[in-house]
Amino acid sequence: MYLENFIMDYRAWQGGESVFIEAPTGMGKTTFVLNQLVADAMNDQQEVLFLSNRYLLKEQIKHSVAKRQGIPVEDANWLEEIDEFEGITILSYQKIQTLVEVNNAGRYLDIERYKYTIFDEIHYILEDSIFNPYIVYLVQFIQKCQNTKVFMSATLAETKDYLIDSGILGKVIPYSNVRLNAMVERDLLDGYLFRSLGYEKYIWHYTIPKQKRKIDAKYFSDFTQIVELINRSSEKWLIFVSNKASVESWKSAIRKSVDVIYADDKDQEIVDQIVKYERFEKQVLITTKLLDNGVNFKDCLLRNIVIDTISRVEFLQMLGRKRIQGDDSIKLYIPKKSRRYFTGYYNLSVLKSLDLVNAGKTSKELVKECFANSTVYEMARRLYIVKDGTLVLNPAGAYKLSLMAKFLCDMQEAMQEDEWAFIKEQLKWLDLQEDFSEKNMLPDVKKEKVYAEVNEYLKKSTAVWMDKERKNEFRQELGKLLCQAGLYEKRGNRAPGKQVIEKIIKAEFPRYDLEVKKASRKGEISLWRIVVKKDVLGDQNSF
């Protein structure tokens, strides 16, 4: 079922109203706009303004419109220069932000020309707000927009709360919410002018149920676990990495054909493939947030998706890039993460930015700090714009920071009790929490190799009593291996002592024991040796 089969009452929407459409990926949100809303607007001699995020998404929509209208699409460079088509204008949020900044967006606010303004993948307004302060101009555009505003996303909840609670869409009359049916409800807007003219204006909410998808989720803690699978696979893989810096590590380790695409890549052949054919040719595509929303892949050979993000919105948008049809299923690989990861993210990134926002400093004070401290400058330039010589905070960024801080603190608390808490959280995003099993953790090939090295080193160290010099050598070498295995955290040059070594051997390498011969007289030192326990002598392979 597609969205146009669910939304039949769109002609009841009026200018000045806001419409939220939350529907899973693959439900035809864009098709609904092109088939229903464009036709309805043109019937009234008006048009649709379609706004979207990400270059690829915008170009894919333009490509679809051009094909419908019989416009040649072979020359993608020519099509890139076109914004206006019959009945519809397609722009990026970034262009609108720039036009508002220079007071030149008036033509796109013309209610005589545009019946509907579509804000596609509107979660952008929060997801990008912590590094793009110019989103404040998009918010201003929304406030000035007086036609019917349609906000669409598969992950709408946070953004909807922000737009409504902040009053950007107008004041909602308390307790005015009415549920019209299982999927539609609306709130009454408070407005003296509306009431005096005998009109009622609403905020409409359409929530389309999620479709159950066949997903086999596996967990990983290190990218080498995934690489091992890819190198043995004949299927296609789509890999979403958390940052650009990690791409080269992935690419150099994969022995299959690989394409990489970043947010600033627009002229590559791979971009043309994605826009025109909704597929990529090579076996593996590695990307960052560039593809996290809107772009579709309809490729039966794409059966494996790796997602490394802690954002629920990004996670669901990334997963939605693969259209799952019929009996199609995918294997999804998600990161385990450690509690230390969330603590570090909170302390080193979010907390400092949140403190800066909440400090209540004047623009002059903040500018002075920016000149004196490069760290403050880096944080400020992501959250503030300069307007008329004054630093102005992007409120959407401050709102998103507070949401992130809460999530990071919640995860730290949860992981203190349960090391699998983040895995369970990701499964919860998919309604697959009942499917959790530690058995779905991929084997750590790297760790197994280091464990084998530790085992071999302990084996070589058996039977021989160690004096002071040999003990120091043993502690240093064993400590290095234990660090590689993630069993010991080295502080400075300090090697593990007797108690630490005994504890690790007992827990991880139970076939061995550390035997100690205490000094019998003053001036002598205790001696160590590794022994194989008698009750496991027959089991030479266990470690």
Side-chain angles (χ1 to χ4, degrees), residues 65-82:
V65 171
K67 285 176 65 178
R68 286 166 174 260
Q69 298 185 4
I71 300 172
V73 295
E74 287 74 20
D75 187 351
N77 292 329
W78 173 81
L79 190 61
E80 186 178 340
E81 302 302 318
I82 304 298

Side-chain angles (χ1 to χ4, degrees), residues 101-280:
E101 183 180 11
V102 296
N103 296 314
N104 196 27
R107 61 182 297 197
Y108 299 112
L109 292 167
D110 184 355
I111 60 174
E112 297 297 324
R113 178 180 180 183
Y114 295 110
K115 182 173 184 178
Y116 302 103
T117 296
I118 311 300
F119 298 86
D120 194 25
E121 307 295 358
I122 189 58
H123 56 268
Y124 156 81
I125 209 170
L126 287 184
E127 287 303 296
D128 285 24
S129 63
I130 54 173
F131 59 83
N132 182 357
Y134 297 99
I135 284 174
V136 70
Y137 293 119
L138 176 59
V139 173
Q140 291 177 16
F141 182 83
I142 292 172
Q143 289 174 308
K144 294 177 181 178
C145 189
Q146 294 303 308
N147 60 7
T148 304
K149 299 178 285 294
V150 181
F151 302 98
M152 304 193 305
S153 175
T155 49
L156 200 51
E158 287 182 0
T159 304
K160 181 164 68 172
D161 287 346
Y162 171 67
L163 291 174
I164 293 176
D165 295 346
S166 61
I168 292 169
L169 304 179
K171 184 179 178 181
V172 173
I173 296 178
Y175 311 110
S176 66
N177 182 272
V178 175
R179 178 166 290 281
L180 303 179
N181 59 51
M183 290 176 288
V184 186
E185 55 187 302
R186 67 187 185 189
D187 296 308
L188 183 61
L189 284 169
D190 187 8
Y192 172 76
L193 182 60
F194 300 156
R195 294 197 303 272
S196 65
L197 295 174
Y199 296 131
E200 288 187 334
K201 298 284 187 178
Y202 300 101
I203 294 179
W204 300 74
H205 308 266
Y206 293 81
T207 305
I208 312 303
K210 294 179 182 178
Q211 294 175 307
K212 190 70 175 178
R213 295 186 284 185
K214 296 179 181 178
I215 298 173
D216 180 17
K218 303 293 183 184
Y219 330 138
F220 69 96
S221 56
D222 188 88
F223 82 100
T224 56
Q225 296 167 277
I226 306 295
V227 168
E228 194 73 19
L229 292 176
I230 293 174
N231 289 336
R232 299 197 305 263
S233 174
S234 59
E235 298 173 342
K236 283 189 174 183
W237 292 70
L238 176 59
I239 302 173
F240 288 98
V241 294
S242 54
N243 60 73
K244 193 174 177 178
S246 65
V247 170
E248 199 53 44
S249 297
W250 281 89
K251 189 177 179 182
S252 61
I254 294 172
R255 298 193 298 272
K256 301 289 184 176
S257 58
V258 180
D259 261 322
V260 176
I261 184 168
Y262 301 122
D264 50 1
D265 285 337
K266 297 182 181 178
D267 299 321
Q268 293 183 352
E269 184 180 345
I270 177 63
V271 172
D272 198 38
Q273 291 173 6
I274 292 171
V275 171
K276 285 185 178 180
Y277 309 114
E278 299 182 328
R279 57 179 293 142
F280 53 91

